[in-house]
Amino acid sequence: MAGFTSPLVPETQTDLPTELIRPRPKQPRRSFAPEPLARLTDSVRTHGILQPLSVHHTPQGYDLISGERRLRAAQAAGLTTVPVKVFSGLTQRQIQQLSAIENLQREDLNPVDEADAIMDILSTELDIPRAELTPRLERWKSLRMKDPALARASEEERQIIGQLEVLFRSLSRGEWTSFVANRLPVLRLPDLLLEAVREGRLEYTKAIALKRAPEALRATLLTEAGELSVQQLRQRIQDATRADLSPSELLSTMERFQELSTPSRLATLNPEAQVKLLNLLKQATGLLEKGNRRISRQNPAD
C-alpha cells in the first residue's frame, strides 16, 4: 500500500460471530455516548448492520479496524454475527491508515472525530507522532502564510508543505491551512465541550465561544447553548466577565503594585523582566488615556 490514496481490497467479505472480533488495543480512544449508541442499537435491531465492519485476520484472531460503535450496537441488540470485510497481512501503518479513512468516510462524522481521523492520516503519512504533529502544522501554516512562495523555507519544509497540499486534495477536505486554523482547535477544547461536540449536543462554533467562558459559567451555558446563537453566547460570557470585575479589586491591585514598585525591587528584575514590565505599563497607560479621551468627548468644556 503506497498510501491512503491506494485503498486496499479486502480478502473476503463474510459474516463473523461478534465474540471473535477484538477491538484493537492501540486504537485511539473514541467516546461512545449512551444516547447515540442507544439510537444506533435500535436501528441495528430493526434493520441490521448495513455497513460491514473491517477486521484484520491474524494468527491470533480477528482485530477490529473500524466499526466499534456498530459492533457494540450489534452486541447490545443481541446479534450474534455481523458482516465484515476481512483484510490480512497488513502492517500497523496500513491498519492505522485504513481505520482513519473509514472513519473519515462516515456520513455522521462529527468535527472532533473528523479532526482526529485527519490527524491520524497525517501522522501516518508524514511519519510524525500525533503528540508532535500539532505544533509542526501550526509552524508550517505560519510559514506558508508569511511566505507564500516559500522562498525562505528549507527544502525539507517545502517538500512537507507540498505533501500536505497533495494529501488534502486527495481527502477532498479543502486547504490544509484552513484545517489547521479552523478545525484543529476543536481538539484543544476542554473535555466537557469536547464530548458535547463529539456527541452532537453542541455545535463546533458555539464550543469555541464557550471555551472563553469562566469554568464556573461554562457548564451552565452549555445547557442553554441550544437555544442561544453564537453571538448571544459571546454576549453572555462578556457580561459575566464584566460582572466579576469589581472596582475595589482593581483599586486594591493598583495599590499593591505601588507598594511593590520601589526602586530597589525594580533593580532586582533581570533585563527581560524589566522590558516585559515596561510593555505592560505602556499598555495600562494607553488604556487609561483612552478612557480620559472618552470622558472628555462625553463632557466637553463649556
Short mmCIF file of all heavy atoms in Angstrom, two decimals, residues 245-272:
data_model
loop_
_atom_site.label_atom_id
_atom_site.label_comp_id
_atom_site.label_asym_id
_atom_site.label_seq_id
_atom_site.Cartn_x
_atom_site.Cartn_y
_atom_site.Cartn_z
N LEU A 245 -15.68 41.57 37.66
CA LEU A 245 -14.63 42.55 37.95
C LEU A 245 -15.21 43.70 38.77
O LEU A 245 -16.06 44.46 38.29
CB LEU A 245 -14.04 43.09 36.64
CG LEU A 245 -12.92 44.11 36.78
CD1 LEU A 245 -11.73 43.48 37.50
CD2 LEU A 245 -12.51 44.64 35.42
N SER A 246 -14.77 43.80 39.99
CA SER A 246 -15.26 44.87 40.87
C SER A 246 -14.25 46.00 40.93
O SER A 246 -13.04 45.78 40.86
CB SER A 246 -15.50 44.32 42.28
OG SER A 246 -14.28 43.93 42.86
N PRO A 247 -14.71 47.26 41.07
CA PRO A 247 -13.80 48.40 41.19
C PRO A 247 -12.84 48.25 42.36
O PRO A 247 -11.68 48.65 42.27
CB PRO A 247 -14.74 49.59 41.38
CG PRO A 247 -16.03 49.14 40.77
CD PRO A 247 -16.11 47.68 41.03
N SER A 248 -13.31 47.67 43.46
CA SER A 248 -12.45 47.52 44.63
C SER A 248 -11.28 46.58 44.34
O SER A 248 -10.16 46.78 44.82
CB SER A 248 -13.27 46.99 45.82
OG SER A 248 -13.83 45.73 45.51
N GLU A 249 -11.55 45.52 43.54
CA GLU A 249 -10.47 44.59 43.18
C GLU A 249 -9.42 45.29 42.33
O GLU A 249 -8.21 45.10 42.52
CB GLU A 249 -11.05 43.40 42.41
CG GLU A 249 -10.02 42.35 42.03
CD GLU A 249 -10.62 41.20 41.26
OE1 GLU A 249 -11.85 41.21 41.03
OE2 GLU A 249 -9.87 40.29 40.87
N LEU A 250 -9.88 46.14 41.41
CA LEU A 250 -8.95 46.88 40.56
C LEU A 250 -8.10 47.84 41.39
O LEU A 250 -6.88 47.92 41.24
CB LEU A 250 -9.73 47.65 39.48
CG LEU A 250 -8.93 48.44 38.46
CD1 LEU A 250 -7.98 47.52 37.71
CD2 LEU A 250 -9.86 49.16 37.51
N LEU A 251 -8.74 48.56 42.29
CA LEU A 251 -8.02 49.52 43.13
C LEU A 251 -7.02 48.83 44.06
O LEU A 251 -5.90 49.31 44.25
CB LEU A 251 -9.02 50.34 43.94
CG LEU A 251 -9.85 51.35 43.15
CD1 LEU A 251 -10.92 51.97 44.03
CD2 LEU A 251 -8.95 52.45 42.56
N SER A 252 -7.43 47.71 44.65
CA SER A 252 -6.52 47.01 45.56
C SER A 252 -5.30 46.47 44.83
O SER A 252 -4.19 46.47 45.36
CB SER A 252 -7.26 45.87 46.27
OG SER A 252 -7.68 44.89 45.34
N THR A 253 -5.50 46.05 43.58
CA THR A 253 -4.38 45.56 42.78
C THR A 253 -3.42 46.70 42.46
O THR A 253 -2.19 46.53 42.51
CB THR A 253 -4.88 44.92 41.47
OG1 THR A 253 -5.78 43.85 41.79
CG2 THR A 253 -3.73 44.37 40.64
N MET A 254 -3.97 47.87 42.14
CA MET A 254 -3.13 49.02 41.86
C MET A 254 -2.35 49.44 43.10
O MET A 254 -1.16 49.79 43.02
CB MET A 254 -3.99 50.17 41.34
CG MET A 254 -4.58 49.93 39.96
SD MET A 254 -5.65 51.27 39.41
CE MET A 254 -4.46 52.60 39.26
N GLU A 255 -2.99 49.40 44.24
CA GLU A 255 -2.32 49.77 45.49
C GLU A 255 -1.17 48.79 45.79
O GLU A 255 -0.09 49.20 46.22
CB GLU A 255 -3.32 49.79 46.64
CG GLU A 255 -4.31 50.95 46.55
CD GLU A 255 -5.41 50.84 47.60
OE1 GLU A 255 -5.41 49.82 48.33
OE2 GLU A 255 -6.25 51.76 47.68
N ARG A 256 -1.44 47.51 45.55
CA ARG A 256 -0.40 46.50 45.80
C ARG A 256 0.78 46.72 44.85
O ARG A 256 1.96 46.58 45.26
CB ARG A 256 -0.99 45.11 45.60
CG ARG A 256 -0.01 43.96 45.83
CD ARG A 256 0.57 43.99 47.21
NE ARG A 256 1.46 42.88 47.45
CZ ARG A 256 2.39 42.84 48.40
NH1 ARG A 256 2.55 43.89 49.22
NH2 ARG A 256 3.15 41.79 48.56
N PHE A 257 0.50 47.10 43.62
CA PHE A 257 1.57 47.36 42.65
C PHE A 257 2.42 48.55 43.11
O PHE A 257 3.65 48.52 43.03
CB PHE A 257 0.99 47.64 41.27
CG PHE A 257 2.02 48.05 40.26
CD1 PHE A 257 2.87 47.11 39.70
CD2 PHE A 257 2.17 49.39 39.89
CE1 PHE A 257 3.84 47.49 38.77
CE2 PHE A 257 3.13 49.77 38.97
CZ PHE A 257 3.96 48.81 38.41
N GLN A 258 1.76 49.60 43.61
CA GLN A 258 2.50 50.76 44.09
C GLN A 258 3.42 50.39 45.25
O GLN A 258 4.55 50.90 45.37
CB GLN A 258 1.53 51.86 44.51
CG GLN A 258 0.83 52.51 43.32
CD GLN A 258 -0.21 53.53 43.77
OE1 GLN A 258 -0.71 53.47 44.90
NE2 GLN A 258 -0.52 54.47 42.91
N GLU A 259 2.97 49.50 46.13
CA GLU A 259 3.79 49.06 47.27
C GLU A 259 5.04 48.32 46.80
O GLU A 259 6.12 48.46 47.38
CB GLU A 259 2.97 48.15 48.19
CG GLU A 259 1.83 48.86 48.91
CD GLU A 259 0.99 47.88 49.71
OE1 GLU A 259 1.36 46.67 49.74
OE2 GLU A 259 -0.04 48.28 50.27
N LEU A 260 4.86 47.52 45.74
CA LEU A 260 5.96 46.67 45.28
C LEU A 260 6.94 47.39 44.36
O LEU A 260 8.11 46.98 44.24
CB LEU A 260 5.40 45.44 44.55
CG LEU A 260 4.61 44.45 45.39
CD1 LEU A 260 3.99 43.38 44.50
CD2 LEU A 260 5.50 43.79 46.44
N SER A 261 6.48 48.45 43.70
CA SER A 261 7.31 49.08 42.66
C SER A 261 8.27 50.12 43.24
O SER A 261 8.27 51.28 42.85
CB SER A 261 6.43 49.71 41.59
OG SER A 261 5.53 50.64 42.17
N THR A 262 9.09 49.70 44.18
CA THR A 262 10.13 50.57 44.72
C THR A 262 11.38 50.45 43.85
O THR A 262 11.59 49.42 43.19
CB THR A 262 10.47 50.16 46.16
OG1 THR A 262 10.97 48.82 46.16
CG2 THR A 262 9.23 50.24 47.05
N PRO A 263 12.24 51.46 43.85
CA PRO A 263 13.47 51.38 43.05
C PRO A 263 14.31 50.14 43.36
O PRO A 263 14.88 49.53 42.45
CB PRO A 263 14.21 52.67 43.41
CG PRO A 263 13.11 53.62 43.78
CD PRO A 263 12.07 52.78 44.48
N SER A 264 14.39 49.77 44.63
CA SER A 264 15.22 48.62 45.00
C SER A 264 14.64 47.32 44.43
O SER A 264 15.39 46.44 43.96
CB SER A 264 15.35 48.51 46.53
OG SER A 264 14.05 48.39 47.12
N ARG A 265 13.30 47.18 44.47
CA ARG A 265 12.68 45.96 43.92
C ARG A 265 12.81 45.92 42.41
O ARG A 265 13.08 44.87 41.82
CB ARG A 265 11.20 45.88 44.32
CG ARG A 265 10.97 45.52 45.78
CD ARG A 265 9.48 45.42 46.06
NE ARG A 265 9.21 45.07 47.44
CZ ARG A 265 9.11 43.81 47.90
NH1 ARG A 265 9.27 42.81 47.05
NH2 ARG A 265 8.86 43.58 49.17
N LEU A 266 12.61 47.07 41.76
CA LEU A 266 12.72 47.11 40.30
C LEU A 266 14.14 46.76 39.85
O LEU A 266 14.35 46.16 38.80
CB LEU A 266 12.33 48.50 39.79
CG LEU A 266 10.85 48.88 39.96
CD1 LEU A 266 10.63 50.32 39.54
CD2 LEU A 266 9.96 47.96 39.13
N ALA A 267 15.14 47.12 40.68
CA ALA A 267 16.53 46.86 40.33
C ALA A 267 16.84 45.36 40.36
O ALA A 267 17.82 44.91 39.75
CB ALA A 267 17.46 47.61 41.26
N THR A 268 16.02 44.58 41.09
CA THR A 268 16.29 43.14 41.17
C THR A 268 15.79 42.39 39.93
O THR A 268 16.14 41.21 39.75
CB THR A 268 15.60 42.54 42.41
OG1 THR A 268 14.17 42.68 42.29
CG2 THR A 268 16.07 43.24 43.68
N LEU A 269 14.97 43.04 39.10
CA LEU A 269 14.44 42.38 37.90
C LEU A 269 15.53 42.26 36.84
O LEU A 269 16.33 43.18 36.65
CB LEU A 269 13.26 43.15 37.33
CG LEU A 269 12.02 43.29 38.23
CD1 LEU A 269 10.97 44.16 37.52
CD2 LEU A 269 11.43 41.93 38.56
N ASN A 270 15.54 41.12 36.16
CA ASN A 270 16.51 40.98 35.07
C ASN A 270 16.04 41.81 33.87
O ASN A 270 14.88 42.25 33.83
CB ASN A 270 16.70 39.51 34.69
CG ASN A 270 15.40 38.85 34.23
OD1 ASN A 270 14.64 39.42 33.46
ND2 ASN A 270 15.14 37.64 34.70
N PRO A 271 16.91 42.07 32.89
CA PRO A 271 16.54 42.93 31.76
C PRO A 271 15.27 42.46 31.02
O PRO A 271 14.44 43.28 30.62
CB PRO A 271 17.77 42.86 30.85
CG PRO A 271 18.90 42.58 31.78
CD PRO A 271 18.33 41.69 32.83
N GLU A 272 15.11 41.14 30.87
CA GLU A 272 13.93 40.62 30.16
C GLU A 272 12.65 40.96 30.92
O GLU A 272 11.65 41.38 30.34
CB GLU A 272 14.06 39.11 29.98
CG GLU A 272 12.90 38.49 29.21
CD GLU A 272 13.05 36.99 29.05
OE1 GLU A 272 14.11 36.45 29.42
OE2 GLU A 272 12.11 36.35 28.56
#
